[in-house]
Amino acid sequence: MQVFTKANELQIFLKEQLLQNKSVGFVPTMGALHAGHGSLVTRAKSENDLVVVSVFVNPTQFNNSDDLNKYPRSIGKDSLFLERLGCDIAFIPEVEEIYTTNYELPEISLGFLDETMEGFHRPGHFKGVVQVVYRLFQIVLPTRAYFGLKDFQQVAVIRFMSEKFGLPVQIIACPTLRESDGLAMSSRNMRLNEQERKQSIHISNTLLYAVELSKTYSPAETKAKAIELFNQGDLELEYLEIVNPITLESLDDEWVPNSIACIVAYLGGVRLIDNMELNPTSNS
Ligand code: AMP
């Protein structure tokens, strides 16, 4: 595996590969890698000639400096992890390398995508995500880019951005990998102590309960009952929404295909996000 820290050196290398008509699969990450990231790398490997993984904790997408400072970092372990997965190129830049003085933030209005759920609760977050992903796409010029559905809204934002700018990249959404007890894998899970780790399964259990409820109840009823169950636990709920997977608008009386329940909760100061597709069998 080759490791690059300089954008221009990576660009020169990748240009040669593109001239040989090689397809490039790209997986942007913030490091502290786990099997969830690994599944994206493996998928990228199976579909492309070359795989590039970036490891960059993007400061502009953190609306909370405490969260940024406490974000786990493990570059040595990450490099080994990527090498073992057969990643071809790791791109590990410093902040100055990404945000050069002449870098211009792409102008884009995300509309409702930035007003609901993550957009509402983390002001500026998606602006930062668009900023970094656009810049990374400029550097890597990927054929395909891989994102996890754990960050469901992020996938919607990236798709929107790519279409808006007509970027020649295929966006591939990959399923959420979970621990054996159901907790969605996340770099932030490392910050949970033993007791919190046990409590954390209340998040996925609530989503599973919502899946069951959706077979009988309307979206609004499902949401109310799922929140009621969630509040019996010790976690602090930020939001639980049942939304249209395309528009992200909240559902009320009617189900739509692939309706999705999205949840964010705090546990010991750690913010955890998850979602699950619902399975309504009727429009009751
Ligand atoms: P992050 O390092 O958290 O920015 O994540 C990098 C990419 O990995 C994003 O596209 C995430 O959605 C994805 N990802 C994170 N956790 C998981 C997971 N448990 N399963 C699948 N993909 C994931």
Side-chain angles (χ1 to χ4, degrees), residues 57 61-73 122 188 191 266 269-271:
V57 182
Q61 73 186 70
F62 285 81
N63 57 320
N64 175 335
S65 56
D66 195 44
D67 191 25
L68 172 61
N69 295 334
K70 289 186 177 156
Y71 200 84
R73 289 162 170 88
R122 301 184 73 187
R188 288 187 173 88
R191 291 180 50 205
Y266 279 91
V270 182
R271 187 176 191 273

Side-chain angles (χ1 to χ4, degrees), residues 147-149 151-160 171-173:
F147 294 87
L149 282 167
D151 300 291
F152 185 82
Q153 197 171 354
Q154 172 171 272
V155 176
V157 166
I158 301 294
R159 282 197 198 286
F160 181 83
I171 305 299
I172 311 237

Side-chain angles (χ1 to χ4, degrees), residues 27-31 33-34 36-37 39-40 61 71 146-151 154 174-178 184-188:
V27 183
T29 81
M30 296 206 298
L33 301 177
H34 50 70
H37 297 111
S39 68
L40 270 55
Q61 73 186 70
Y71 200 84
Y146 297 80
F147 294 87
L149 282 167
K150 181 171 90 73
D151 300 291
Q154 172 171 272
C174 305
T176 302
L177 246 73
R178 298 179 178 279
M185 289 182 184
S186 164
S187 306
R188 288 187 173 88

Side-chain angles (χ1 to χ4, degrees), residues 130-142:
V130 165
Q131 195 175 28
V132 75
V133 174
Y134 184 84
R135 172 80 174 121
L136 289 167
F137 279 4
Q138 271 185 337
I139 297 169
V140 177
L141 300 175

